[in-house]
């Protein structure tokens, strides 16, 4: 398990390095790097899912971590904490923070929170990287 964590962290770091040149990358290439970054960050192998849905990827990650079926993880996670945040919501917030900190950008918070897909988030990241370059 420790070796898998180490490998995924290293792979996520490589994808983040590639993303730092995102202002010069074509959007599809940036999206591919961002997708792999998310999957590695969530301890998933890119071969495990081809979903574009951040919610589905998050649920798969939570299920894998807990060792249960994705559908069951979603049901368990619907038992919200007292402040209304599910594990999936917290995981997405931490992901958005990791992307911003790792790339030295600031995403429009309202648009970032509303992103439901990796492709939508990639477009937002691409825009922020281009703005930061200028």
């Amino acid at each position: 398990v420790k070796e898998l964590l180490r490998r995924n962290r290293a792979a996520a770091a490589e994808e983040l390095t590639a993303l730092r040149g995102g202002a010069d990358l074509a959007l599809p290439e940036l999206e591919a790097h961002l997708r792999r970054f998310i999957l590695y960050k969530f301890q998933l192998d890119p071969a495990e899912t081809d979903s574009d849905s951040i919610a589905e990827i998050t649920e798969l990650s939570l299920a894998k971590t807990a060792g249960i079926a994705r559908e069951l993880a979603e049901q368990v996670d619907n038992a919200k904490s007292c402040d209304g945040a599910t594990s999936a919501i917290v995981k997405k917030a931490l992901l958005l923070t990791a992307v911003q900190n790792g790339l030295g950008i600031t995403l429009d918070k309202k648009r970032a929170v509303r992103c439901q897909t990796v492709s939508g988030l990639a477009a937002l990241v691409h825009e922020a990287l281009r703005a930061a370059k200028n």
Side-chain angles (χ1 to χ4, degrees), residues 3-4 17 34 38 40 45 49-50 52 54 57-58 67 71 83-84 88 91 94 97 99 104 106 115 117-118 133:
E3 179 59 24
L4 179 62
T17 298
L34 181 63
I38 292 169
Y40 289 130
D45 186 296
T49 183
D50 60 358
D52 189 42
I54 294 172
I57 293 169
T58 302
E71 294 79 14
D83 59 359
K91 198 166 185 97
L94 291 172
T97 300
V99 167
T106 301
C115 280
T117 61
V118 174
K133 184 178 178 180

Side-chain angles (χ1 to χ4, degrees), residues 2 15 19 25-27 32 44 47 53 57 69 82 89 91 93 97-98 106 115 123 127 129:
K2 286 182 182 180
E15 296 300 333
L19 283 166
L25 295 174
L27 183 56
L44 297 170
S53 168
I57 293 169
C82 59
I89 291 171
K91 198 166 185 97
T97 300
T106 301
C115 280
E127 183 181 303
L129 286 167

Side-chain angles (χ1 to χ4, degrees), residues 42 87-100 113:
F42 284 3
S87 299
I89 291 171
V90 171
K91 198 166 185 97
K92 182 178 178 182
L94 291 172
L95 170 67
L96 294 173
T97 300
V99 167
Q100 290 179 99
V113 169

Side-chain angles (χ1 to χ4, degrees), residues 67-124:
I68 58 178
R70 184 181 67 79
E71 294 79 14
L72 183 57
E74 183 180 359
Q75 289 175 354
V76 169
D77 197 39
N78 281 336
K80 297 177 183 169
S81 65
C82 59
D83 59 359
T86 64
S87 299
I89 291 171
V90 171
K91 198 166 185 97
K92 182 178 178 182
L94 291 172
L95 170 67
L96 294 173
T97 300
V99 167
Q100 290 179 99
N101 291 343
L103 298 177
I105 59 174
T106 301
L107 299 174
D108 178 286
K109 289 169 186 37
K110 288 180 182 178
R111 289 175 61 200
V113 169
R114 280 188 241 135
C115 280
Q116 295 182 14
T117 61
V118 174
S119 55
L121 182 58
L124 191 58

Side-chain angles (χ1 to χ4, degrees), residues 31-50:
E31 183 179 335
H33 286 295
L34 181 63
R35 184 176 189 289
R36 287 190 300 267
F37 171 76
I38 292 169
L39 292 173
Y40 289 130
K41 196 82 171 146
F42 284 3
Q43 301 303 315
L44 297 170
D45 186 296
E48 290 181 84
T49 183
D50 60 358

